[in-house]
Amino acid sequence: MHPDLAIVPDFPLQRFNTFGIAACARAYLRLTDVAQLAALRADPVLSSMPLLLLGGGSNIVLTGDVEALVLHMAIAGRTIVGRDSGHALVRCGGGENWHGFVQWTLAQGLGGLENMALIPGTVGAAPIQNIGAYGTELKDVFHSLTAYDLASGELRTMDAAACRFGYRDSIFKQAGGAGLVIVDVTFALPLAWQPNLRYAELAQAVRDAGLDAPTAQQVSDIVVAIRRRKLPDPAVVGNAGSFFKNPVVSGAECARLLAAFPALVHHAQPDGSEKLAAGWLIDQCGWKGRTMGAAGVYPKQALVLVNNGGASGAEVVALARAIQADVGARYGVHLETEPVFI
Ligand code: EPU
């Protein structure tokens, strides 16, 4: 067998998913170099196995043992690669921790990622669901990425159009992205940085801190403080961040809902549709802090499901289905799940 392919059989994944669900992978490989992917393709046994690409494990629900070869993305490296008009171009290996990378860019004097500080997960997973928080999405600071195509064995450079970014969505969640492994991501960070304080809660927190002209590091520190206050630390309470996407409905549908529920939280979108706050809908149905078995709804944020200790994937799924049914019955709105069920 190729020396780079140190496959571990029957590998426990509990420490590698932030929900902390106990499950085993049939086989496991830590991926530190793109050359391993070429070696994997050339191996007649391994290339015929189903594959599961694992990043920080912060957006998955394991519903049983994983009958696949788990490729654990651990490709490292952070470099300023150049400039285009008005931006520094910064490249980062897909296996780097996202928050560590954000803090590294700030230490280089580069702003742009601070609103997305403390989002769990890896840099390589960030484009898959176009991560976002406090008014910034990955696509706003994205330049390009390198993906290894397992089907052809080629490295591809993909720009934003090729990635087809949407709200918590990209080609990597669709059929067109099958077999593409994100090896590194390049960001375009503004040389003339300005804070993005369009998200009301963040703007208020900056004012409360008495900062008229915050630095990018100060904005990052405030985002970290807000997240620590509202969201559970996966190292303490297992969770996968927001469990549902905020549903997008037509303007007419929103008007219908507002007539019946005047306090409905909604945000107008540029195309005339309205994004509803899933956390509010779930909260109004009385789910905040409730439990089903060892799975529960986080008491401070109804959009986050938690593992209160020893929860199985099936318990988490049962809780999610019960919430979807209640919200559907009361509001006629379908809540789409955000994490990937495996
Ligand atoms: N709300 C409630 N009850 C709750 C939770 C929220 O009434 O239990 C209300 C809030 O009062 C607020 C509204 O719902 O009026 C929205 O809540 P919040 O500002 O906390 O944001 P969110 O819509 O719940 C989204 C993202 C988060 C991101 C925050 C901040 C999604 C699915 N979630 O949450 O992203 O950090 O905005 O930008 O888009 C994630 O994707 O994993 C994630 C954590």
Side-chain angles (χ1 to χ4, degrees), residues 134 167-168 199 230 242 244 246 277 283 288 301-302 338:
Y134 303 103
Y167 168 57
R168 295 296 190 275
Y199 202 88
K230 291 178 65 166
S242 295
F244 302 98
N246 285 326
D283 195 354
K288 212 181 212 172
Q301 161 60 287
E338 199 186 270

Side-chain angles (χ1 to χ4, degrees), residues 207-230:
R207 276 195 297 276
D208 291 348
L211 299 168
D212 292 335
T215 64
Q217 183 66 60
Q218 284 171 326
V219 173
S220 167
D221 292 347
I222 288 173
V223 167
V224 167
I226 297 175
R227 291 186 72 98
R228 290 227 160 97
R229 201 165 59 234
K230 291 178 65 166

